[in-house]
Structures are given as structure tokens and as C-alpha cells.
Amino acid sequence: MELKRDEILLLFDVDGTLTQPRALITDEMKNFLYQKVLPRATLGVVGGSDLEKMCEQLNGQEFLQKFDYVFPENGLVQYEGGKEVGKVSIIHHLGEDTLKRFINFCLHYIADLDIPVKRGTFVEFRNGMLNICPIGRNCSQEERKEFYAYDNVHRVRQTMIDRLREEFAEVDLTYSIGGQISFDVYPVGWDKTFCLRHVFKRPVAFREIHFFGDKTDPGGNDYEIYSHEKTIGHRVTSPDDTKKQLTELLQL
């Protein structure tokens, strides 16, 4: 039996799922989502980035109006129908002293790190998490690709995470590698499954919730929501693969 639009929710990661990493959504993907998928299902997007970065990649305010749910920062900030409806802060959860000690440690660690290239913005503070970037988020697209290849061999990010786990063992934190150059740090339970808390408040529950993401292995920032008992997870390899799987799922 075919489900009605308000009975099925499709949740999407951004990088590697709707777009190439840190790239803009293509007109082809936009048209496919808005013209073919939107009439058939409720749409949601959940990413680790803040709203500003989401807007950069997904064509500004248009996607805020088109998607029923928009969840920046793993859903710590919630938008519904284009309006902000909720927000949670990591400052209040961890406290200023712990936060300061953690950021100081990261900056000292990165200062002593010997990698081929360093640029700027090594720690980015977001509402619901910290984003730690050993090369610096101000790197170029080419430098980003080069670091990703370097990191696959030398495991710079994973080694730093292992060190942070030792140093801050008493703090309830999750470390999640996503994208090509950085990793996210947030309180346990503040992964992408956090957005489901908002979804579950809906008066009439969805009959099916599907999640599409590319970092679905343990340690990846899509793993928890991909494997959650209330979602049907779809592992994708690219925006084209997302489109292919949606076509099959919805029989478009």
C-alpha cells in the first residue's frame, strides 16, 4: 500500500548525500527533490553544520521553505515550516570551565601537530557542538582534498580523538568524524538522533522514517541515526546514488 505524503518522512544528510562535500546542490538534484520527491513525502535535512553553511550549500532560503524540517547542528537547532522552533546550547550543558579547558587543549595539540599544511579556524564553536579541524577550515578545496588523502593514511583526526578521549575521560562526550577535514564533538546523545526528539513530538506519528547518509560506519556522523531502531537507514555513496535509491523507494 502506497503511503501518503504525511505518513512518510525522508531525512537527508547534506555532504556526500545531497551535495558533494562542501559543494553546492546541483539544479538537477533540486528539481528532482522539489518536483518529484516533495509531492510524495515529508522532507527533512539534518546536518552537523550551522544554518548558514546549510544555506550556502542548499541555495539559501529556498530550501528552508521547501523542506518541512531543517535540523542544523544535528537537530540541536530546529526549523519547521521555515521558522526556528527550538534550540539547545552546549555551553549550558558542559559549563564554561570544561568548555574552556577542552578548547585550550585542542589549540595546544594542533599547534604542536606536524602536518603538511595549516590554515585558519581550527576550532569552530557551534550552538550544539564543537567542530575541530587540524588543517583549519579556511583551507582551499584543493588543500581539503589533499588533507583528506593524507588523513586516510596518517589518521590525524582519529589519533587526536584518541588523545582527547584519554584527557577528557570524565566528560560525557561523543567524537564523530564527518566530511574531509574535521570532526565534531558533542555531549553523548547529541548526535543526529537528537533531531528525532522533535519529530516524535508530532501529534500523528510517521508510519515510516527513512534516513539517507554516507558516513554510516561506526564513528561516522551518520551512524547513530542510520542504525536507530525507529529509522530505515539507507547508505549512499554520492548525490547520484541518493537520487537512484529515492527513485527505487518511491517508484518514481
Side-chain angles (χ1 to χ4, degrees), residues 89-218:
S89 172
I90 194 173
I91 300 174
H92 300 140
H93 185 83
L94 293 182
E96 200 66 67
D97 289 345
T98 298
L99 201 55
K100 184 169 64 176
R101 186 164 64 90
F102 188 90
I103 292 172
N104 285 346
F105 184 90
C106 288
L107 291 173
H108 281 293
Y109 183 96
I110 293 171
D112 294 333
L113 198 58
D114 185 16
I115 56 177
V117 169
K118 288 183 185 176
R119 293 299 179 248
T121 311
F122 302 102
V123 176
E124 186 173 87
F125 179 83
R126 299 174 183 170
N127 189 69
M129 68 178 72
L130 295 171
N131 180 263
I132 312 299
C133 183
I135 185 178
R137 297 197 64 88
N138 295 349
C139 61
S140 68
Q141 194 67 28
E142 189 59 35
E143 289 164 344
R144 168 187 287 270
K145 291 177 182 176
E146 290 170 358
F147 176 81
Y148 184 58
Y150 182 88
D151 188 54
N152 281 337
V153 175
H154 298 279
R155 302 178 82 246
V156 176
R157 290 182 289 178
Q158 187 58 55
T159 302
M160 185 174 179
I161 287 171
D162 293 342
R163 184 72 183 87
L164 285 165
R165 280 201 175 108
E166 292 175 11
E167 187 69 21
F168 294 89
E170 81 287 357
V171 185
D172 226 9
L173 293 172
T174 296
Y175 302 84
S176 181
I177 294 176
Q180 296 175 302
I181 58 173
S182 64
F183 61 91
D184 296 329
V185 185
Y186 43 80
V188 170
W190 287 25
D191 51 65
K192 287 184 178 177
T193 61
F194 196 94
C195 77
L196 297 176
R197 303 185 193 190
H198 182 74
V199 171
F200 294 155
K201 292 177 184 176
R202 190 172 185 259
V204 180
F206 289 105
R207 291 180 64 179
E208 290 183 7
I209 299 174
H210 295 258
F211 172 78
F212 295 79
D214 66 320
K215 295 288 192 296
T216 57
D217 291 329

Side-chain angles (χ1 to χ4, degrees), residues 1-10 40-42 69 199-200 202-211 229-232 249:
M1 184 179 68
E2 187 175 311
L3 296 177
K4 297 177 182 177
R5 182 182 187 275
D6 61 355
E7 293 179 321
I8 179 171
L9 171 63
L10 306 180
R40 299 282 301 277
T42 304
Y69 295 107
V199 171
F200 294 155
R202 190 172 185 259
V204 180
F206 289 105
R207 291 180 64 179
E208 290 183 7
I209 299 174
H210 295 258
F211 172 78
E229 60 180 7
K230 294 291 180 68
T231 70
I232 301 168
L249 175 67

